[in-house]
Amino acid sequence: METFIELKNISKTFGTVQANKNISLDVRKGEILALLGENGSGKSTLVNILSGIYTPDRGSIFINGSEKFFTSPEDAIKNGIGMVHQHFKLVNVMSALENITLGERNSFFINKKKIAGKINKLENSFGFSIDPYKKIYSMSVSEKQTVEIIKMLYQGAKLLILDEPTAVLTPQETKRLFDVLRRMREQGCSVVIITHKLNEVMEISDRVSVLRKGAYAGTVETAGTTAHELAELMVGGEVSLEVVRAHAPRSAEPLLTVADLCVTNENSMPVLNHMSFDLYGGEILGVAGIVGSGQKELCEAIAGLCRVDGGSIMFDNEELVGMSPLSIKKKGLRMSFIPEDRLGMGLVAGMDITDNVMLKTYDESDGPFVDRADGKKRAELIVKNYDISTPGVNHIVKKLSGGNIQKVLLGREIEMHPRVLVTAYPFRGLDVGASNTIYAMLNEQKCKGVAVLLIGEDLDVLRGLSDRLMVIHNGRVMGIVNPRTESKDIIGIMMMGGKA
């Protein structure tokens, strides 16, 4: 198969950190290449170089045998390379058509009919389906992703880079995306896909290139390898891919009872619609739903972070509705919340580990000064107990890898000895090793009798860890199922609002 792009000896350093070390690999025409590696292995840096966001310190990029120099994403797209980021780069108040054609206008007026016809041709070629006049803010996640892909193809991309493209898709939406990628491959386009989901790598890719600690670890044909072998190549040693569900006795009575919970957004639209469920000690209750189904509001309502319009949240015979997080703590109700926004809501990115640990206990000081020595001891204990890789507890949190940031957050909350633990997307963007550590931490809490509410996006992981699985859609509970017996397809249908 003919080579389309070749990277030779690519190196990139940020301060004292060498993100890429003499990486050489190629992408062939009409292939799907998966790019794998642990957090901090250099994947993002490498594709950002390939898409023109970064320039390499050393090394060369060849396209069809000719060396190219990129100083911007515009240079990359002119050479046929487009990237769809995990967090979409779309203007919400504009239509799909307007987003697709942004930056190409040569005059005040554009021929919308002509452009819509060109978009329609791309849809027919690759199997897309999108309303070009629909506003972005009214689209589902998969529709927004489709707009991003069409935008790149409209601009002439022959190589498409997809960063964690299935992270927030249902099984049905993932299947449709993979059908599109196969059509692109048939049309001669190349695809580079970054994902931590090894089962999807085995399903969709032709070859797999692996990075380890910033260096190139090798490329293998997908048909000639296994998910386990790929994981071992990623970490450089033995690793387990099994998601283990711990066995623990469940409490006779629920620790948390949510009844007819209603929450509206700033536009008075319902985001939680009469939601009801029980959460028991010694269990992990998983929550599955497409993005925007009310997961964020559910977590924040339980934690006392958002206004509740109706219903009840009972914890230890205490009504939580109307209580602030500080009021909940002063009542002696031991609850911990790990939000999805690790460095926005969970931790302060510019503060060190010690100061972030002290955020949970600053209100316990007798006077105007906090006991930093005690905070440092607790931070050192968390670093030791949860195997956090850091130069020390005075290290700035944002400079840690994603897995270590998550372990700081989880460790801090667990060390508060909660009876109820609410956690949102704790494995998002984490590699195999870091994810296994988080699985073990949640299982350990379950075995201690803690009631764990686990909101996730990877159905395989949710089904593996959860004792029961609650499926939600548009703020409603579609059903609570046994994850060991209910199929992924049925769960996916429920996530989209269908009946089991």
Side-chain angles (χ1 to χ4, degrees):
M1 194 179 289
E2 190 178 351
T3 297
F4 177 40
I5 291 176
E6 187 176 8
L7 305 179
K8 288 187 176 180
N9 302 315
I10 297 293
S11 295
K12 182 69 177 178
T13 300
F14 298 95
T16 59
V17 178
Q18 189 165 9
N20 290 156
K21 307 172 189 174
N22 297 316
I23 294 175
S24 298
L25 57 85
D26 63 82
V27 185
R28 299 168 182 172
K29 291 183 179 178
E31 82 160 344
I32 299 174
L33 176 74
L35 186 61
L36 287 182
E38 293 186 280
N39 297 111
S41 64
K43 302 185 304 296
S44 295
T45 301
L46 188 66
V47 296
N48 281 332
I49 288 172
L50 188 53
S51 60
I53 296 173
Y54 297 152
T55 54
D57 299 331
R58 294 185 304 279
S60 305
I61 300 173
F62 293 87
I63 299 179
N64 291 322
S66 299
E67 188 171 5
K68 303 292 182 181
F69 301 93
F70 301 159
T71 59
S72 69
E74 185 180 6
D75 290 341
I77 196 67
K78 283 179 180 177
N79 284 278
I81 301 171
M83 183 167 177
V84 177
H85 297 266
Q86 186 175 355
H87 303 290
F88 305 136
K89 312 294 184 183
L90 299 171
V91 182
N92 276 332
V93 296
M94 289 185 173
S95 67
L97 184 147
E98 290 168 327
N99 272 276
I100 290 167
T101 58
L102 268 178
E104 76 152 14
R105 301 182 186 185
N106 296 317
S107 63
F108 185 77
F109 299 101
I110 62 172
N111 189 332
K112 290 188 176 182
K113 187 174 180 180
K114 183 178 179 181
I115 293 169
K118 188 175 177 182
I119 292 172
N120 185 249
K121 284 183 180 179
L122 288 172
E123 290 178 339
N124 292 336
S125 293
F126 300 112
F128 296 112
S129 179
I130 198 76
D131 177 358
Y133 301 105
K134 189 174 182 179
K135 299 292 187 183
I136 299 299
Y137 62 74
S138 63
M139 290 184 174
S140 67
V141 175
S142 63
E143 286 177 310
K144 292 176 184 177
Q145 186 180 69
T146 299
V147 173
E148 284 278 30
I149 293 173
I150 293 176
K151 181 172 72 175
M152 292 295 104
L153 294 173
Y154 183 91
Q155 294 174 358
K158 301 298 181 186
L159 169 70
L160 198 63
I161 303 168
L162 299 170
D163 186 8
E164 299 285 352
T166 67
V168 292
L169 300 184
T170 66
Q172 287 81 1
E173 289 169 334
T174 297
K175 183 178 182 301
R176 284 197 293 271
L177 172 64
F178 285 0
D179 288 341
V180 167
L181 297 185
R182 291 185 183 101
R183 289 278 291 272
M184 291 176 63
R185 177 173 60 190
E186 291 168 6
Q187 300 281 338
C189 290
S190 303
V191 177
V192 173
I193 182 170
I194 300 172
T195 180
H196 287 106
K197 300 180 180 180
L198 293 177
N199 59 327
E200 294 181 354
V201 170
M202 298 302 297
E203 179 182 350
I204 191 64
S205 68
D206 299 299
R207 293 189 303 151
V208 185
S209 290
V210 180
L211 304 185
R212 187 167 65 243
K213 296 181 180 179
Y216 175 68
T219 297
V220 296
E221 300 283 339
T222 307
T225 190
T226 65
H228 192 265
E229 288 174 351
L230 290 175
E232 289 185 342
L233 190 59
M234 283 169 58
V235 302
E238 187 66 31
V239 67
S240 172
L241 296 180
E242 185 180 3
V243 179
V244 177
R245 179 190 298 105
H247 297 284
R250 196 176 86 165
S251 62
E253 299 295 329
L255 290 185
L256 188 80
T257 296
V258 175
D260 284 321
L261 188 63
C262 294
V263 173
T264 56
N265 61 19
E266 63 275 8
N267 299 318
S268 299
M269 298 294 291
V271 287
L272 295 182
N273 202 337
H274 298 282
M275 186 174 283
S276 299
F277 63 92
D278 291 323
L279 179 61
Y280 293 82
E283 80 160 346
I284 295 178
L285 175 64
V287 181
I290 60 177
V291 172
S293 291
Q295 296 95 324
K296 180 176 181 286
E297 292 78 11
L298 174 60
C299 290
E300 293 182 359
I302 294 172
L305 292 168
C306 77
R307 189 193 70 196
V308 172
D309 297 294
S312 170
I313 306 172
M314 297 296 295
F315 178 17
D316 267 357
N317 296 315
E318 293 277 359
E319 177 59 68
L320 298 187
V321 171
M323 294 175 66
S324 68
L326 189 57
S327 300
I328 293 171
K329 182 181 177 183
K330 287 184 175 178
K331 277 276 188 180
L333 302 173
R334 302 203 314 271
M335 179 193 302
S336 288
F337 170 40
I338 293 95
E340 62 176 305
D341 186 1
R342 298 167 196 162
L343 290 180
M345 193 177 214
L347 301 169
V348 179
M351 287 168 50
D352 65 24
I353 296 173
T354 297
D355 286 335
N356 271 287
V357 168
M358 292 173 63
L359 285 175
K360 293 294 288 189
T361 55
Y362 73 92
D363 60 300
E364 298 172 7
S365 300
D366 295 328
F369 301 104
V370 295
D371 186 353
R372 186 170 172 81
D374 180 66
K376 185 177 181 181
K377 284 181 182 177
R378 286 188 286 112
E380 288 171 344
L381 186 67
I382 289 170
V383 167
K384 179 183 177 182
N385 288 349
Y386 300 100
D387 192 26
I388 296 167
S389 179
T390 175
V393 294
N394 296 324
H395 194 66
I396 301 300
V397 162
K398 69 180 178 182
K399 294 183 178 180
L400 297 172
S401 70
N404 285 302
I405 289 170
Q406 189 69 305
K407 285 193 278 186
V408 169
L409 180 53
L410 261 168
R412 184 189 72 186
E413 296 300 318
I414 287 172
E415 288 301 315
M416 300 303 293
H417 305 293
R419 294 186 67 208
V420 171
L421 177 63
V422 179
T423 177
Y425 309 106
F427 324 114
R428 178 179 284 170
L430 300 189
D431 57 57
V432 175
S435 294
N436 282 340
T437 301
I438 306 301
Y439 303 159
M441 292 168 76
L442 296 181
N443 274 325
E444 183 181 8
Q445 292 305 295
K446 168 185 165 180
C447 291
K448 289 180 177 179
V450 176
V452 181
L453 185 70
L454 170 62
I455 293 170
E457 57 204 2
D458 189 322
L459 267 184
D460 291 318
V461 173
L462 279 176
R463 292 172 74 216
L465 277 179
S466 303
D467 298 282
R468 295 182 297 145
L469 185 63
M470 180 168 70
V471 186
I472 63 175
H473 174 77
N474 279 349
R476 292 182 180 273
V477 176
M478 303 306 298
I480 298 179
V481 302
N482 184 335
R484 291 172 294 289
T485 58
E486 198 62 86
S487 73
K488 281 178 68 174
D489 286 340
I490 293 297
I491 294 170
I493 290 169
M494 294 170 69
M495 288 169 66
M496 293 188 288
K499 296 293 183 182

